[in-house]
Amino acid sequence: MSTFGMPAAVEAVEAVEAADSAPAPPSPGGGAGRAKRVALPLLLAAMVTAGSSVIPAGTAVAAPTGGNHCVVNTENGSTTCFGGFQDAVSFATDGRVTDAPDATTAATSEQFAQRLNQKPASGTKAVVAITYSGQKFDGDTLIVVAGSPCTANNGVSAQLANLGRVPYNSGGASWNDRINSYVGFNQCQTKAFLDVDFKGYQGDAVPTGDTGTTPLHGGVSSLQFFYRPGDMDVLGLCEGGADCTFNPLKSSVVTGPPTLVELAWNCTGQAQSTTVNWTKTFSSSNTVGVEVGVTLGFDLLQKFEASVKASYQHNWSESTTFGQSTPINVPARSVGMLSITPQTETVIGLFNVSPKNQYYGSSHYYPSLTATQTVKTEAVPVVWNERPMTGDEKAAYCGGGGGTRGTLGTRTFGVTVRP
C-alpha cells in the first residue's frame, strides 16, 4: 500500500472542501441532495469509524499480501488481500473453511452458507457479507468479518464508514466505488450508501442484492450490516400499521393422491352390498417462508383472499367439504376402501410490507407465502379398491377370524392413503 505525500494530502482536503461547498444536485432518493464526498487517504483521517469501534489515526492496518480477494475486519479496520477467493475465505474463517467453491458459486450455495453460518468459536470472526465488484456476484471480492453474527438489536450490527480506507490491492487503490453486489451471512443483510459516513443515496438493507441501475452502481462508498428479520417478524409489522399487500405470482391446480373416506369389512362367505353415507372436510393451509408454517391473521387473510379473487376470478375457501351416498359391493372375506381424489390449488406469492419507519435498515420487505386449498367441485372423483382381509383384520373385525359375522362392517376414515 503506497503512502500519500503532503502535496497529495492537501489536494485531497481541498477536493473535499470543494465538494462540500459546491451546489448539490437533485438526489434520486434515499438522502438529501449533495455532491458525492471524496474518500480521504488512510493517513489523513483523524479518526476512522469501523463497526462500533473508533480507530485512532496511525493504527496499523495490515498490508495486503497481493491480489484482489480481500478480507476486512470491521472491529479493527485491518485488511488483507489474496490472489484467490479460497485463500481469502480460509483467512476470514480462521482456517475453518479451506475448500470454498469459486466466488460466484459461493453466492448461491446453501452448503457453503451453512458452513459460514456455523457459530464461530469464542474470539474468532464471523463473516457478515461477501461483496463483489461485479453485478452478477462475479469479479473481485471483499469479505467483511465482524466479531459476532448480526443480532436482533434493531440497530447496526457492523459497518464500514469509508471504503476509501479499505485497500483494494498492494498498488494503493481502495474499494471505494467498486462494490456492485453482495450476499449476507450469519443473519446479516447489507445496506449500501453512495457517500462515506452513510450519507447520500442509500439502498434498502437486503440479504442478497446488487446495485442495479441506481446511483449506487459503481458508486458505493460505505456499508452497514443489519440483522435479517424473519418473515414472521416482518408480517407482525402489518398489525402495527405497516402497509401490507399480497402479490400472487403463480397458481397451479393438480389432482391430489387418494384420500380414504370409508372402510368396509365383509366377514361373510358371500359378497355384500350396501350404501354408505360419508363426508370429508379439507382445510386450506399456508406456509410463510421456507420452513415456518403459520396461520395468517384475519387482516392478512382478507388481503390474501381479495388478491387471489382479483387475479384468478374465484374465491379462496378456508375449508371445503365433500359428501355423498355411495353404493358399494365387497367380496367375501375382503375389505373395501372408498377414497376420493380431489383437486388442490396452490398459490405462491409475496407480501409487500412497507414499515412506517425503516426496520433493520430497510423500507421494504417481501415475505413469501405458499397457500393450498382443496378445489370445490360438483362431483369429486371416487375410487374403489378391495383386497382380501389379513389374518389380523379377521381377528379384529370378524370375531376371531372365523368369518362368523353375517353383516358388512364399515368405518369412516379421514386419513390420506396411497393404496
Side-chain angles (χ1 to χ4, degrees), residues 94-365:
D94 291 329
R96 184 166 53 85
V97 180
T98 60
D99 56 350
D102 66 86
T104 300
T105 300
T108 57
S109 171
E110 292 185 7
Q111 182 180 14
F112 177 70
Q114 289 173 357
R115 297 175 68 190
L116 256 60
N117 291 341
Q118 292 176 357
K119 185 176 181 180
S122 176
T124 61
K125 302 181 289 288
V127 175
V128 298
I130 298 177
T131 67
Y132 298 79
S133 62
Q135 200 162 25
K136 296 182 178 179
F137 311 103
D138 55 354
D140 302 325
T141 59
L142 175 65
I143 302 176
V144 184
V145 298
S148 64
C150 293
T151 56
N153 58 5
N154 207 23
V156 180
S157 291
Q159 60 188 21
L160 293 170
N162 190 341
L163 289 171
R165 299 188 181 112
V166 179
Y168 173 67
N169 56 26
S170 57
S174 76
W175 274 92
N176 189 59
D177 293 346
R178 291 186 186 274
I179 292 172
N180 283 297
S181 55
Y182 23 82
V183 180
F185 297 90
N186 284 294
Q187 284 297 104
C188 299
Q189 52 184 7
T190 304
K191 184 179 184 70
F193 295 81
L194 182 66
D195 295 345
V196 300
D197 297 324
F198 323 112
K199 297 180 180 179
Y201 184 96
Q202 60 181 263
D204 272 339
V206 292
T208 301
D210 59 67
T211 55
T213 58
T214 70
L216 293 171
H217 181 65
V220 177
S221 291
S222 54
L223 296 170
Q224 287 183 330
F225 305 94
F226 293 82
Y227 172 75
R228 178 184 180 181
D231 287 343
M232 287 302 300
D233 295 328
V234 173
L235 288 177
L237 300 176
C238 297
E239 298 180 0
D243 182 23
C244 300
T245 58
F246 180 74
N247 179 30
L249 302 177
K250 179 181 178 182
S251 171
S252 59
V253 178
V254 299
T255 299
T259 299
L260 186 65
V261 296
E262 193 81 22
L263 284 176
W265 294 272
N266 183 3
C267 297
T268 72
Q270 59 185 5
Q272 298 285 325
S273 298
T274 189
T275 298
V276 296
N277 299 313
W278 58 268
T279 61
K280 174 62 180 174
T281 299
F282 296 86
S283 298
S284 62
S285 62
N286 57 76
T287 302
V288 173
V290 178
E291 299 176 346
V292 183
V294 301
T295 300
L296 293 179
F298 179 73
D299 290 341
L300 287 178
L301 182 60
Q302 280 193 321
K303 293 178 183 292
F304 167 76
E305 291 176 347
S307 180
V308 169
K309 185 174 183 179
S311 298
Y312 305 121
Q313 288 73 55
H314 65 73
N315 291 326
W316 187 269
S317 299
E318 293 185 52
S319 64
T320 302
T321 300
F322 297 98
Q324 196 180 89
S325 295
T326 306
I328 62 173
N329 182 62
V330 185
R333 297 184 177 85
S334 296
V335 57
M337 298 171 288
L338 180 65
S339 304
I340 58 175
T341 55
Q343 291 183 319
T344 59
E345 178 188 22
T346 298
V347 172
I348 299 173
L350 299 174
F351 276 99
N352 185 344
V353 180
S354 300
K356 290 182 177 180
N357 301 303
Q358 283 197 356
Y359 184 62
Y360 289 111
S362 185
S363 300
H364 301 88
Y365 284 92

